[in-house]
Amino acid sequence: MNSSEKLKPDLRVYFVIGPDHAGDRSFVEVAEAAARGGVTALQLRDKTGDTATLIAEARKLKLALAPFGVPLIVNDRVDVALAAGAEGVHIGQQDMAPADARKLLGPDRILGLTVQNAEEIAAMEPGLLDYVSIGGVFDTASKQNPHPPIGLDGLADLAEAAALRAPGLPICAIAGITVETAAAVIAAGCDGISVVSAIAAASDPRVAAGELRNVVDWALDARAESA
C-alpha cells in the first residue's frame, strides 16, 4: 500500500489517555470501555514513562483495542509505536520533525501533527501528514498549555486555513472539549474532536464516549445537509 491508497484516520472521537489520566482506575480498562462506547481513535500519551514501560503500555492498549478496530496512536515516540505495532504517531511542534518521523514510520502508518496558529499551518508539509490537530480550543486541566485558548472563532479561522493549505486533510480539535461543546467544534470546520477528561474523568467512560459519538455524528450530518 502506498500513502495515496491509505485510508484516512477516523477522528470523530479521538481519545487521548495515559496512566496520569485515569485516577485510581486502570487506564487500559478505561480505554477499552471507551472503545466499547464508540471512540474512533485512541492516543497513548505518557510523558514520564521510560521506553520499556511505554512499549508495555502500548502493547496492552493494542490488545484491548483490537476487538473494536480502534487504531492506536502513540504520542511523540516513533520507536515505541514501531516496537508495539501501533498504527501511528502524533507529534507536536517541539517533537521530531514530520519528515524524520515519516522516514522512520514508512508510508503506511498514521502521522498526525498539532498546530496552534496560522504560521504553523503555513509551515505544514501536507504530503507527510494524515491529519492535523488544532488547539487548544478551551481551557483544560489535563495538559499544561502556555498559549491562551483560541476559542471557537479562532478554531474556525485555523480550520479554514488548514483546509486551504491541505485540502482533504482530516482536522480535529483538542483541549477542553465536552459533550456540550462538541457540536460547535464540528460546526467550526473540524472532522472530529480530541478529548481527555470528557471520557477519562467520567464515571462511566463507555457511556461518555457514546454520548460524544452521538453528538459528533449528528453535527457532521447536520453540516453535510447544510452544505
Side-chain angles (χ1 to χ4, degrees):
M1 177 188 299
N2 60 45
S3 57
S4 65
E5 296 171 330
K6 182 168 49 178
L7 293 175
K8 293 179 181 179
D10 185 345
L11 303 176
R12 283 176 292 170
V13 182
Y14 185 3
F15 183 31
V16 180
I17 190 169
D20 295 337
H21 300 140
D24 58 0
R25 297 179 291 187
S26 160
F27 79 97
V28 176
E29 291 178 0
V30 172
E32 182 176 354
R36 288 183 184 278
V39 300
T40 55
L42 187 139
Q43 182 186 134
L44 167 61
R45 181 195 286 165
D46 181 352
K47 295 292 190 180
T48 61
D50 59 38
T51 300
T53 298
L54 284 167
I55 292 172
E57 290 172 351
R59 286 175 174 162
K60 289 177 183 177
L61 285 173
K62 276 280 293 180
L63 286 173
L65 298 174
F68 309 100
V70 175
L72 173 64
I73 313 296
V74 176
N75 182 271
D76 184 21
R77 297 291 298 271
V78 174
D79 56 339
V80 171
L82 291 172
E87 281 77 14
V89 170
H90 182 89
I91 55 177
Q93 295 294 320
Q94 306 304 316
D95 297 326
M96 181 182 294
D100 294 329
R102 176 56 73 198
K103 186 180 297 183
L104 293 171
L105 285 171
D108 296 332
R109 281 188 167 87
I110 296 167
L111 179 60
L113 176 70
T114 295
V115 293
Q116 300 169 314
N117 53 55
E119 291 74 21
E120 291 172 356
I121 290 172
M124 290 191 318
E125 298 180 72
L128 300 173
L129 302 173
D130 296 294
Y131 72 89
V132 63
S133 177
I134 299 174
V137 181
F138 306 112
D139 284 318
T140 177
S142 65
K143 181 182 179 182
Q144 291 292 101
N145 191 344
H147 306 286
I150 61 174
L152 288 170
D153 289 341
L155 174 62
D157 290 342
L158 293 182
E160 182 179 12
L164 290 171
R165 177 76 179 96
L169 187 70
I171 300 169
C172 67
I174 191 167
I177 298 167
T178 65
V179 70
E180 290 80 16
T181 58
V185 168
I186 299 300
C190 294
D191 302 297
I193 58 171
S194 185
V195 299
V196 182
S197 300
I199 295 176
S203 58
D204 190 329
R206 181 187 63 80
V207 170
E211 291 174 344
L212 286 165
R213 174 70 177 271
N214 287 338
V215 170
V216 169
D217 285 346
W218 174 86
L220 287 168
D221 287 344
R223 192 176 73 189
E225 290 175 2
S226 64

